[in-house]
Amino acid sequence: MELELLYEGKAKKVYQSDTDENHLILSYKNDATAFNGEKKAQFTGKGRLNNEISSLLFQALDNKGIPSHFIERLDSTTQIVQKTDIIPLEVVIRNIATGSITKRLGIEEKTPFEPALAELFYKEDRLGDPLINDEHALYLTDIKAEELAGIKEKARKVNTALTEIFAAIGVRLVDFKLEFGRNKEGNILLSDEVSPDTCRLWDIETNEKLDKDVFRQGTGDLITVYEEILNRLEAQL
Ligand code: UDP
């Protein structure tokens, strides 16, 4: 039976599970996009790599006491997740300055942030995902102030856990983006994906970029560096 396609995003397709109405099937695509969809390409194997990496990382987070929507990996490019309504916020945590913040605020590249810096963006392609503050987030979404505080606290816990997971494979977690969703019980859960598409990952020894920046900046082969991350995680986890 054909699964019902609920939504197609830039990197994933979202299907309704045919065995449980509270489950979704996420299918990771081979498409890569950057600069709000202006730069596009296809990479054979990218969907499999991100599905496998994201599955391993959600499992590792769960083992460290941080649950998410992830239930299980189904096959090479798909995973089963709990159904949530995505809150239209992108929560970015930065350990080291790079990317948009260096340009926006004139902060020197590679400046460390201690403690890590949390930022909110409004997830709205038509507006180019603008940076917003807490009051904007409360105005633009249905979350309450305590829930926003909980989301930020959760994002910091994810940062601590992921920093450890990546350090163990010789990788520095520079920054990353998280999304949260609300499940049928009304609880807010870590959702979306955690992958080299959504994290900046630098080799601790060489500073080599092992994430989507190689595609954004045209400085390397996306598949080679995503494979490197997956191989190291598989050897460690
Ligand atoms: N990020 C993401 N999706 C977005 C925007 C950012 O996953 O739509 C991630 C990005 O990969 C990086 C972090 O969030 O790990 C911070 O990105 P930044 O704000 O520096 O944006 P960029 O420079 O990529 O435009």
Side-chain angles (χ1 to χ4, degrees), residues 11-216:
K12 298 186 285 301
K13 289 182 184 175
V14 181
Y15 294 93
Q16 173 60 51
S17 160
D18 57 359
T19 54
D20 188 326
E21 71 156 326
N22 297 314
H23 290 177
L24 300 173
I25 311 292
L26 299 189
S27 172
Y28 282 69
K29 308 199 294 185
N30 285 336
D31 304 64
T33 62
F35 312 117
N36 202 24
E38 273 171 48
K39 181 170 180 174
K40 283 187 204 152
Q42 285 233 329
F43 295 93
T44 303
K46 174 175 180 284
R48 174 184 65 82
L49 289 163
N50 273 353
N51 182 46
E52 293 189 356
I53 292 167
S54 199
S55 297
L56 285 175
L57 290 173
F58 276 136
Q59 267 152 18
L61 286 173
D62 198 55
N63 292 341
K64 288 178 176 282
I66 303 173
S68 70
H69 72 158
F70 179 78
I71 297 172
E72 63 175 333
R73 188 162 69 78
L74 202 55
D75 60 27
S76 65
T77 57
T78 65
Q79 57 185 242
I80 308 175
V81 303
Q82 202 181 123
K83 189 187 276 185
T84 64
D85 268 338
I86 294 289
I87 297 157
L89 293 179
E90 298 191 340
V91 183
V92 167
I93 300 285
R94 300 180 185 274
N95 296 306
I96 302 174
T98 192
S100 68
I101 197 167
T102 60
K103 296 181 204 94
R104 190 182 335 111
L105 300 179
I107 297 171
E108 199 183 336
E109 186 75 26
K110 295 204 173 84
T111 308
F113 295 118
E114 284 161 17
L117 211 67
E119 293 181 332
L120 296 175
F121 295 83
Y122 183 38
K123 191 173 146 65
E124 177 52 87
D125 279 344
R126 157 180 84 79
L127 302 174
D129 299 345
L131 178 74
I132 57 171
N133 67 21
D134 286 23
E135 294 192 26
H136 297 137
L138 296 179
Y139 177 78
L140 292 165
T141 72
D142 70 354
I143 60 171
K144 300 194 179 71
E146 314 84 80
E147 290 176 323
L148 181 56
I151 284 174
K152 286 195 189 169
E153 194 189 310
K154 179 66 72 65
R156 291 188 183 282
K157 285 193 175 141
V158 171
N159 187 39
T160 304
L162 281 182
T163 295
E164 251 177 55
I165 292 163
F166 282 115
I169 60 164
V171 168
R172 186 168 286 128
L173 178 63
V174 173
D175 59 27
F176 60 96
K177 182 265 299 180
L178 298 177
E179 293 181 24
F180 292 82
R182 198 186 284 283
N183 68 11
K184 145 168 146 294
E185 286 81 33
N187 299 321
I188 292 179
L189 257 189
L190 175 60
S191 299
D192 194 47
E193 68 179 280
V194 182
S195 74
D197 268 14
T198 60
C199 301
R200 285 198 174 95
L201 305 168
W202 295 351
D203 184 276
I204 287 176
E205 302 271 300
T206 65
N207 275 329
E208 186 192 353
K209 291 181 178 175
L210 302 172
D211 59 60
K212 199 166 87 173
D213 270 354
V214 299
F215 166 69
R216 290 191 188 97

